[in-house]
Amino acid sequence: MENMNEMFDFEEIYLSWFAKMKHFAREYVVSEEDAENIVQDVFMELWEKPPALVDRTRLTAYLFTSVKNRSLNCLRRRIMEQKAANRMQNEHQAVLRMNLDSLAYFDHAPFDEDDVKQLISQALLSLPEQCRRVFVMSKIEGKKQKDIAAELHISINTVETQIGIAYKKLRVELKKYLPLFAFFFPVKIL
């Protein structure tokens, strides 16, 4: 089939349709910059891989369908980004609330390092035996997961799972004390 440039003058098509397509894209995506990028992408694709078009009607339909589809993809991506941002914001607010509650609690009940170590010991004792052993080897003794797996004759996945279980249980067990542990123990234990 003939090249599109032989059938149509690309520059003429670009000059004739760019502004209209950009306006069309803006109806979907609102942002001037996004609309321009979408139209530029459509024209770049048209230049690199011209479709087998017969007449201007089909060319117009192709161009506007391409802009519509790219605009919808842009909107879907924005929605997903917004959901992720909202989720992160909610998590951040939960952490701030927890830290505020923890610090307020410590205004009334000061602890020293021995008290903190005692709290950690009690929390660790609440874990199932293998879970506690894996967590201590990893987070307190500083061993690598592959070394723990080899020493205990378990898989690395089991090590990761046990550490995850320990984190969840310790978060619940120690939720009132998290900021204090960060101060006394710079290694992340929760």
Side-chain angles (χ1 to χ4, degrees):
M1 181 118 221
E2 291 181 30
N3 186 322
M4 187 213 53
N5 292 327
E6 294 172 14
M7 294 171 49
F8 300 108
D9 180 12
F10 182 83
E11 185 176 351
E12 176 192 331
I13 293 168
Y14 184 87
L15 293 173
S16 297
W17 290 104
F18 184 86
K20 294 172 189 165
M21 291 170 58
K22 184 174 156 187
H23 177 74
F24 181 69
R26 274 195 66 218
E27 293 297 318
Y28 285 98
V29 298
V30 180
S31 163
E32 183 85 17
E33 182 179 344
D34 287 342
E36 190 165 314
N37 288 336
I38 287 167
V39 175
Q40 290 286 3
D41 289 346
V42 168
F43 274 112
M44 182 63 78
E45 185 178 293
L46 182 66
W47 176 260
E48 292 174 351
K49 299 180 199 170
L53 302 170
V54 178
D55 58 28
R56 283 202 179 263
T57 304
R58 290 176 68 188
L59 174 64
T60 303
Y62 170 81
L63 292 174
F64 281 93
T65 300
S66 295
V67 168
K68 179 194 77 166
N69 290 338
R70 287 179 184 266
S71 297
L72 290 172
N73 288 340
C74 178
L75 292 174
R76 286 184 191 108
R77 186 175 56 253
R78 276 192 201 159
I79 288 169
M80 295 200 43
E81 289 170 354
Q82 187 60 48
K83 284 181 180 178
N86 290 344
R87 195 170 37 252
M88 289 172 52
Q89 181 66 26
N90 290 340
E91 289 172 7
H92 179 70
Q93 287 176 348
V95 168
L96 289 177
R97 243 185 332 273
M98 182 178 65
N99 288 346
L100 178 63
D101 293 344
S102 297
L103 291 173
Y105 177 79
F106 285 114
D107 282 346
H108 304 295
F111 287 91
D112 63 17
E113 189 172 347
D114 290 333
D115 292 332
V116 172
K117 287 180 181 178
Q118 180 65 31
L119 288 170
I120 291 175
S121 294
Q122 288 175 347
L124 289 174
L125 288 174
S126 72
L127 297 175
E129 185 177 337
Q130 183 172 358
C131 186
R132 179 177 57 248
R133 181 180 297 148
V134 169
F135 186 81
V136 167
M137 291 172 79
S138 173
K139 302 304 174 189
I140 296 178
E141 295 174 8
K143 292 184 179 180
K144 296 182 181 197
Q145 291 182 0
K146 68 177 183 174
D147 297 333
I148 296 168
E151 188 176 326
L152 298 178
H153 307 291
I154 58 177
S155 72
I156 291 178
N157 285 339
T158 302
V159 171
E160 291 171 355
T161 300
Q162 292 298 316
I163 291 172
I165 291 169
Y167 274 138
K168 286 179 186 174
K169 290 186 179 216
L170 290 174
R171 265 191 215 104
V172 170
E173 197 70 31
L174 301 170
K175 66 182 174 186
K176 290 195 263 184
Y177 311 107
L178 292 179
L180 187 62
F181 294 124
F183 176 75
F184 280 114
F185 303 98
V187 175
K188 181 182 173 191
I189 64 164
L190 298 178

